């Protein structure tokens, strides 16, 4: 069975919206505003590309990433990696042609079936709404979190507000960097 890894830039209060400057969010670009760049804090991002076997995202994240990421050298390994987009509305004619193999999944049941296939870990970038559904359905196995020393207040959150039983996490890797970023890698305990 494949592992689903949710990876996120997250503020201390759980916001994941607009980290790179996406339009429509008042704090857009918060990952590089007033935060000193410390290269070693982002080592995990390169490791994710090396270790992942596929990328999973929601429609909104696909529409944000697909015009930009195919031509970014820092995301070169994602170009050849199979990609899956979970959407009930995206159509095949809206998929970009320069980002490698991409398939549309129509439900979380399709994601559960994908987990049963052979291959490396499946990395989930962005996709706040998809993360909520995956977490609530028990489909996330690990979290890679780069926690920024910021309180953003309003904004899309990584974790759902569904009233559910406690979900225990096990910290398996962590580090604190000179700029205040924290790397926290958690396995979901089943």
């Amino acid at each position: 069975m494949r592992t689903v890894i949710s990876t996120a830039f997250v503020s201390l209060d759980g916001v994941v919206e607009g980290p790179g400057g996406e339009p429509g969010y008042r704090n857009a670009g918060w990952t590089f505003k007033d935060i000193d760049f410390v290269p070693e804090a982002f080592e995990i991002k390169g490791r994710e590309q090396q270790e992942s076997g596929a990328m999973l995202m929601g429609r909104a994240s696909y529409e944000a990433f697909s015009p930009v990421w195919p031509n970014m050298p820092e995301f070169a390994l994602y170009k050849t990696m199979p990609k899956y987009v979970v959407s009930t509305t995206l159509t095949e004619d809206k998929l970009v042609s320069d980002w490698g193999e991409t398939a549309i999944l129509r439900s979380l049941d399709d994601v559960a079936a994908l987990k049963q296939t052979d291959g490396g870990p499946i990395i989930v970038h962005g996709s706040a709404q998809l993360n909520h559904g995956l977490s609530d359905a028990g489909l996330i196995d690990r979290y890679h979190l780069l926690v920024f020393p910021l309180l953003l207040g309003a904004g899309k959150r990584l974790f759902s507000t569904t009233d559910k039983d406690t979900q225990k996490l096990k910290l398996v890797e962590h580090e604190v960097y000179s700029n205040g970023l924290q790397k926290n890698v958690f396995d979901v305990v089943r």
Side-chain angles (χ1 to χ4, degrees), residues 168-173 185-189:
K168 186 171 171 52
L169 304 175
K170 179 182 178 188
L171 184 66
V172 295
E173 184 180 341
V185 176
F186 293 99
D187 281 343
V188 175
V189 177

Side-chain angles (χ1 to χ4, degrees), residues 40-41 43-44 47 144-147 171 173-177 181-185:
E40 58 270 21
E43 171 276 334
I44 194 167
R47 188 169 15 129
H144 288 183
L145 306 178
L146 277 180
V147 182
L171 184 66
E173 184 180 341
H174 63 92
E175 195 159 346
V176 178
Y177 303 97
L181 263 70
Q182 298 175 36
K183 173 179 64 181
N184 293 303
V185 176

Side-chain angles (χ1 to χ4, degrees), residues 7-18:
T7 183
F9 294 147
V10 61
S11 68
L12 191 58
D13 57 347
V15 175
V16 293
E17 186 170 355

